[in-house]
Amino acid sequence: DTLGSLANINRCFDIIENLQVPTICLINGATLGGGAELALCCDIVVTVASSKALSHIDKYHYNKDHKIGFPEVGLGIIPGAGGTYRIFKRMSQGVAKHWILSGRKFSLEEAFSDGFVDFNFQNSEDFNSFIDSFLSNSRLSLVAAKASMNKSYLELDRKKQRLIELKEYKKTLDSPDRKEALRKYKGK
């Protein structure tokens, strides 16, 4: 049944959105409806300009025809897997409403300028360097920083934001990762 399937998809998307570690969505080709809603669950959305930029995935499956959007209104429904509320984390209210209410398929350039896509890599060195910038950091620090940012996002009170950050900072203070990093730093 449709509503049962939608509930399962929403549970899955909530899990992805709430993963402790940073999540990166690599868009390759058409990302419409549920695919676009899945991308909204991730922390960062990236694309690549050409198959030459892809060393982490199969170059033979590269698709340069990036179409991104929410065509549901043209089908007589609305996005049902988080699109109508997650999209506001990526773009302004007016632009978000245009994306949902028009039912259009947007180009990569439009998706980038509107804020749906965060980075469009032109070559494999830049893409690999981007991925490595996460992998080279302490997992604990990544988890704490992401938690602080996510919890502070909707909090408007600056004092409460500081308390959230301090709570996450304290988790890293006496960690083995920090001690090792300081030892390496002192040795330079």
Side-chain angles (χ1 to χ4, degrees):
D1 103 308
T2 302
L3 294 178
S5 295
L6 191 59
N8 287 334
I9 292 168
N10 274 297
R11 278 191 291 277
C12 179
F13 284 8
D14 288 346
I15 290 168
I16 293 167
E17 183 177 41
N18 292 309
L19 286 171
Q20 291 182 326
V21 294
T23 53
I24 300 168
C25 173
L26 172 62
I27 290 180
N28 180 29
T31 306
L32 303 169
E37 288 176 293
L38 174 58
L40 292 175
C41 297
C42 296
D43 297 311
I44 301 169
V45 178
V46 302
T47 59
V48 293
S50 74
S51 63
K52 293 176 182 166
L54 299 174
S55 63
H56 283 62
I57 66 172
D58 185 353
K59 293 178 185 179
Y60 297 104
H61 290 99
Y62 174 75
N63 185 337
K64 65 180 176 167
D65 188 26
H66 293 93
K67 295 292 178 200
I68 305 162
F70 302 89
E72 288 91 341
V73 294
L75 302 171
I77 59 174
I78 69 169
T84 62
Y85 53 88
R86 285 189 178 107
I87 196 166
F88 292 113
K89 293 193 309 185
R90 299 226 140 252
M91 54 188 72
S92 71
Q93 186 175 9
V95 175
K97 285 185 177 181
H98 178 234
W99 271 66
I100 300 289
L101 301 176
S102 71
R104 278 192 52 216
K105 297 172 185 169
F106 294 86
S107 69
L108 171 59
E109 292 76 20
E110 291 170 307
F112 186 71
S113 70
D114 288 349
F116 190 93
V117 171
D118 299 304
F119 301 96
N120 179 30
F121 296 102
Q122 301 298 314
N123 59 64
S124 62
E125 292 82 18
D126 291 344
F127 179 67
N128 292 335
S129 177
F130 176 79
I131 297 297
D132 290 342
S133 73
F134 294 92
L135 298 175
S136 63
N137 290 314
S138 156
R139 183 182 194 283
L140 178 64
S141 296
L142 292 172
V143 168
K146 178 179 173 176
S148 178
M149 294 168 79
N150 285 353
K151 291 172 187 174
S152 296
Y153 178 74
L154 295 176
E155 180 57 62
L156 300 178
D157 183 309
R158 181 67 69 199
K159 185 175 181 179
K160 289 180 181 176
Q161 289 174 327
R162 286 189 185 119
L163 292 173
I164 290 168
E165 184 179 67
L166 182 60
K167 179 182 176 187
E168 295 302 324
Y169 181 83
K170 286 178 180 178
K171 292 177 183 178
T172 65
L173 206 51
D174 290 322
S175 72
D177 291 346
R178 179 175 182 265
K179 290 174 183 174
E180 176 63 18
L182 289 174
R183 186 187 63 73
K184 286 181 182 177
Y185 181 75
K186 288 179 182 178
K188 287 184 177 182

